[in-house]
Amino acid sequence: AIAHWSEYLLPPSWVKRLEHSSNREQTLIGRILLFRKMVTLGYNYTNLPEMKYTIQGKPYFEENIYFGFAYHQDIILVALSENQPIGIDVEAIRPISWQSFESYFTRDKWFRISRNPNPTKQLIDSWVAKEAANKLEGLPPNAQKETSIKYRNQKMYSNGHKYYYQDLKLPVQYIGKIVTQRKVKNLRLSNVTNQLNSQSMLYAVRA
């Protein structure tokens, strides 16, 4: 119902390019969450910025407001920042054939994953960080293989760039991370599920 009504409530540029999207419903709900957070910044329907798209298809605003979306199964996240570009990703902890992902990581990183007492969880944790970094850069999912990620003091090095990451305090069955160019000192995570009366778990992140 939220996704259905969002087509009529959101500005035309916010629902563009979604006609044939396989994740259309989740994306629309995410944009309703973004709308709600921007209202707290003083925006309303009459002055919302136009949503534009990069060549790679990443949505953005020309104003200095940065945002990102992530969803998996029954959880949807939207992240918002007035200070810097952000990337966000989430995955459920579940049984997977973790051995088939070796080509996506450097030899050193894969050694750490494979030697971990829980390689599946370690792989998902590293994968979420990698995908969040790709989203920050505007790359499509799985865009680059052989990604080098090194963790130290909440720093990570991915695709030749240094970023900062933070873990999101989500329900225990999920791993979520936000990645930024500069360290975030005051990260706020709020559960807005009950506010929208949704069966999905909806979270908003301010960085």
Side-chain angles (χ1 to χ4, degrees), residues 129-175:
K130 182 183 82 71
E131 288 300 286
N134 281 345
K135 289 180 179 180
L136 187 154
E137 296 174 0
L139 300 173
N142 310 334
Q144 293 196 7
K145 295 186 177 183
E146 296 291 342
T147 299
S148 175
I149 301 175
K150 301 178 181 179
Y151 303 99
R152 187 172 60 252
N153 299 324
Q154 292 188 310
K155 295 178 184 177
M156 60 178 290
Y157 299 85
S158 178
N159 304 330
H161 302 284
K162 181 178 78 172
Y163 299 120
Y164 291 87
Y165 75 92
Q166 289 195 42
D167 296 313
L168 302 176
K169 294 181 180 179
L170 300 173
V172 294
Q173 67 269 36
Y174 292 99
I175 293 177

Side-chain angles (χ1 to χ4, degrees), residues 26 37 41 90 99 120 133 136 140 151 175 178:
Q26 294 95 326
K37 298 309 292 184
L41 301 180
V90 63
Q99 297 91 339
T120 296
L136 187 154
Y151 303 99
I175 293 177
I178 185 168

Side-chain angles (χ1 to χ4, degrees), residues 179-198:
V179 173
T180 54
Q181 294 176 339
R182 301 186 304 277
K183 192 171 184 177
V184 176
K185 295 181 180 180
N186 185 22
L187 185 73
R188 284 164 284 175
L189 174 70
S190 56
N191 185 340
V192 296
T193 304
N194 293 333
Q195 297 175 29
L196 292 181
N197 192 27
S198 172

Side-chain angles (χ1 to χ4, degrees), residues 21 42 44 46 56 60 79 82 106 114 136 159 163 178 187 197 201 207:
S21 172
N44 56 53
T46 62
Q56 293 81 11
Y60 72 96
E82 299 171 81
T106 60
S114 61
L136 187 154
N159 304 330
Y163 299 120
I178 185 168
L187 185 73
N197 192 27
M201 290 180 287

Side-chain angles (χ1 to χ4, degrees), residues 15-76:
V15 297
K16 219 165 93 172
R17 297 195 178 191
L18 297 180
E19 294 85 357
H20 306 292
S21 172
S22 59
N23 300 305
R24 187 168 181 272
E25 183 176 283
Q26 294 95 326
T27 303
L28 287 169
I29 293 174
R31 292 184 182 182
I32 282 287
L33 289 177
L34 177 62
F35 172 85
R36 286 171 58 84
K37 298 309 292 184
M38 291 189 67
V39 167
T40 66
L41 301 180
Y43 288 88
N44 56 53
Y45 191 86
T46 62
N47 65 359
L48 282 172
E50 180 181 359
M51 189 171 287
K52 298 188 175 182
Y53 296 84
T54 65
I55 297 176
Q56 293 81 11
K58 179 182 179 180
Y60 72 96
F61 298 138
E62 290 188 337
E63 289 81 350
N64 291 327
I65 298 178
Y66 307 94
F67 61 92
F69 300 105
Y71 40 80
H72 183 82
Q73 295 179 351
D74 292 328
I75 190 167
I76 301 174

